Amino acid sequence: MRQLRDAQHISLRNLAKITYHGKTYLHELETGRKTPTAQVAQRIDDALDAAGELVALASQPTIRRREFVAAAGLAAALPHTLLGHGRHVGTGTAGRLAERTARLRRLDNFLGGVDTHHLYTAEADATARLIQDGSYSETVGRQLLAVLAEQTQLAGWAAFDAGRHADAERLYLTSLSAARDANECALAGNAYAFLAYQQLTLGKPASDTATAGCEAAAAATPVVRALLHLRAAWAYAVRGNAAAADQQLAHGTTCLTEHDNRPEPDWVYWVDHLEGEIMTGRCWTVLRRPMRAIPVLERALARFDDTHSRDKALYLSWLADAYLDANEVEHSCATAAAAVRLAGGVGSVRPAQRLNSLLNRLEPHAGMQCVAELRSLAAEMSTRPRLSV
């Protein structure tokens, strides 16, 4: 409800006028303090043009956070089932699907891929069926393919975050094909960047793939180009090519200062100067330049919201690595402990992988009390249940 209001720039006061409900009551619904009746849910759903999403959520039993993603999954397929296979697809359908995808994308800020990959994959599958069975103009067809490219990138990222690499690669390649067919060069470039990121994680060389992403989107908007250059920098840094990594970082940070009149796509909404600083710190860490990495990461992470727990935990793990390279074992353990606490309930395999890597590096210091305490904390947190459906 809050996401829909924000997207349409509707205040609670104005929503109260439209629905004939009190502002306080609507606030209590939005914050979960009260549960709407079916009639109230329908009225708000109509007012926010939610196409049944809010009604579907309200029809579930009392929803705790642990069940939220399952309920959202029920709502996700609703527009597609209403359209029906073989029916004409109008000019506004792709836009509505893109808006839904933008809202679903925000879940990734707070949940891991273990919790979201089924939801994102179901959304992409529904759009793929619509493309296969629907009837539409050539222009609408390209728009639908662009939405599918976005959705399969999102689903691939969630699969990657959940450790499902075969699924992630399949989805990324589907995204690349859809983006090319839609003549969406920026999305094609991002598909290459995702593939490169996965290749690096699997220990494969990825510089050529990442560079292909930059080349494919050479005429894209500034923030898109910034993202792709920053990811290319990471690919070069992991392979130990410091000169190429520094060059790509410079390109990326320069792009973040540029402006043009074209709107940026929603899928780069999170890319900003803070992201540039974090990627710079990560690159310098993996290149074993701790004196450069530490101040950049410290400054950036001080401004990074703890509610984005998976990402902050990952970024803290790189800072812990940098401290260890600087022979600051106690600082490394304290930073890693903060990462462990943040990632304790997140449905992502990556924070644990990063922690295991750091613990292996700390093995020569096993006799230190801080290392023993970190190992104990990691063991304790690994037994706690995480958000999953």
Side-chain angles (χ1 to χ4, degrees):
M1 180 176 166
R2 175 64 179 272
Q3 287 178 351
L4 287 165
R5 279 202 311 104
D6 288 346
Q8 298 175 49
H9 306 291
I10 299 175
S11 67
L12 273 176
R13 185 181 301 278
N14 287 336
L15 184 60
K17 293 177 181 178
I18 297 170
T19 60
Y20 303 105
H21 291 296
K23 176 184 172 183
T24 300
Y25 174 61
L26 292 176
H27 177 70
E28 289 173 334
L29 293 178
E30 193 168 84
T31 55
R33 296 174 184 173
K34 289 188 177 179
T35 302
T37 64
Q39 288 180 328
V40 170
Q42 184 65 64
R43 188 174 296 169
I44 298 172
D45 192 288
D46 292 341
L48 295 176
D49 194 25
E53 290 184 70
L54 294 180
V55 172
L57 286 169
S59 67
Q60 300 301 306
T62 300
I63 299 173
R64 298 184 299 273
R65 184 168 183 259
R66 195 171 291 273
E67 284 82 37
F68 171 74
V69 179
L74 293 175
L78 185 60
H80 308 296
T81 59
L82 289 176
L83 286 169
H85 291 172
R87 294 181 56 184
H88 177 71
V89 181
T91 56
T93 302
R96 292 191 67 181
L97 293 180
E99 290 172 0
R100 288 170 47 71
T101 302
R103 292 200 300 275
L104 291 172
R105 184 178 288 113
R106 270 58 176 182
L107 289 176
D108 185 64
N109 288 335
F110 310 104
L111 304 174
V114 172
D115 305 303
T116 58
H117 77 275
H118 290 303
L119 170 60
Y120 291 157
T121 302
E123 189 82 359
D125 288 345
T127 299
R129 290 196 302 272
L130 183 64
I131 292 171
Q132 179 179 344
D133 299 332
S135 173
Y136 39 79
S137 67
E138 182 178 347
T139 299
V140 171
R142 286 197 300 269
Q143 292 171 346
L144 290 173
L145 283 168
V147 172
L148 179 63
E150 278 196 53
Q151 291 174 338
T152 46
Q153 284 181 15
L154 187 57
W157 169 252
F160 168 78
D161 195 45
R164 303 168 66 100
H165 292 292
D167 288 342
E169 183 179 22
R170 173 182 57 81
L171 288 159
Y172 290 156
L173 291 173
T174 298
S175 173
L176 179 59
S177 177
R180 286 171 170 169
D181 290 344
N183 198 27
E184 288 284 343
C185 296
L187 279 168
N190 203 38
Y192 278 120
F194 274 126
L195 284 166
Y197 204 88
Q198 184 182 35
Q199 289 167 353
L200 289 172
T201 301
L202 298 177
K204 301 176 182 179
S207 303
D208 290 345
T209 307
T211 301
C214 295
E215 292 173 350
T221 52
V223 178
V224 170
R225 287 186 284 112
L227 171 63
L228 299 183
H229 282 300
L230 291 172
R231 287 180 170 173
W234 177 243
Y236 282 114
V238 171
R239 303 308 295 179
N241 190 335
D246 282 345
Q247 184 180 49
Q248 292 293 335
L249 286 172
H251 286 323
T253 52
T254 298
C255 289
L256 287 172
T257 67
E258 296 176 5
H259 301 281
D260 65 23
N261 295 324
R262 296 173 293 172
E264 295 287 350
D266 181 78
W267 47 268
V268 292
Y269 78 92
W270 52 277
V271 180
D272 55 17
H273 289 283
L274 180 60
E275 176 64 22
E277 290 180 21
I278 287 171
M279 185 59 83
T280 298
R282 289 176 63 191
C283 287
W284 283 341
T285 297
V286 78
L287 288 167
R288 298 293 186 255
R289 298 179 179 179
M291 293 301 99
R292 290 191 181 189
I294 289 170
V296 173
L297 287 173
E298 285 182 336
R299 183 171 60 249
L301 287 168
R303 310 196 313 271
F304 202 92
D305 197 333
D306 281 1
T307 58
H308 297 192
S309 53
R310 177 200 59 202
D311 291 343
K312 188 162 186 177
L314 288 167
Y315 300 154
L316 283 167
S317 75
W318 292 110
L319 179 57
D321 261 337
Y323 278 133
L324 188 56
D325 287 333
N327 202 31
E328 293 287 348
V329 181
E330 291 87 352
H331 276 66
S332 179
C333 289
T335 304
V340 171
R341 294 186 182 94
L342 275 174
V346 174
S348 170
V349 301
R350 293 186 297 140
Q353 291 170 345
R354 288 285 306 133
L355 176 65
N356 288 335
S357 174
L358 180 65
L359 287 173
N360 288 335
R361 293 192 63 206
L362 285 166
E363 190 61 34
H365 309 281
M368 296 181 64
Q369 182 177 351
C370 63
V371 176
E373 290 174 350
L374 177 61
R375 289 188 178 278
S376 177
L377 176 64
E380 176 191 349
M381 297 301 290
S382 68
T383 64
R384 293 189 181 183
R386 67 186 180 193
L387 174 61
S388 187
V389 297

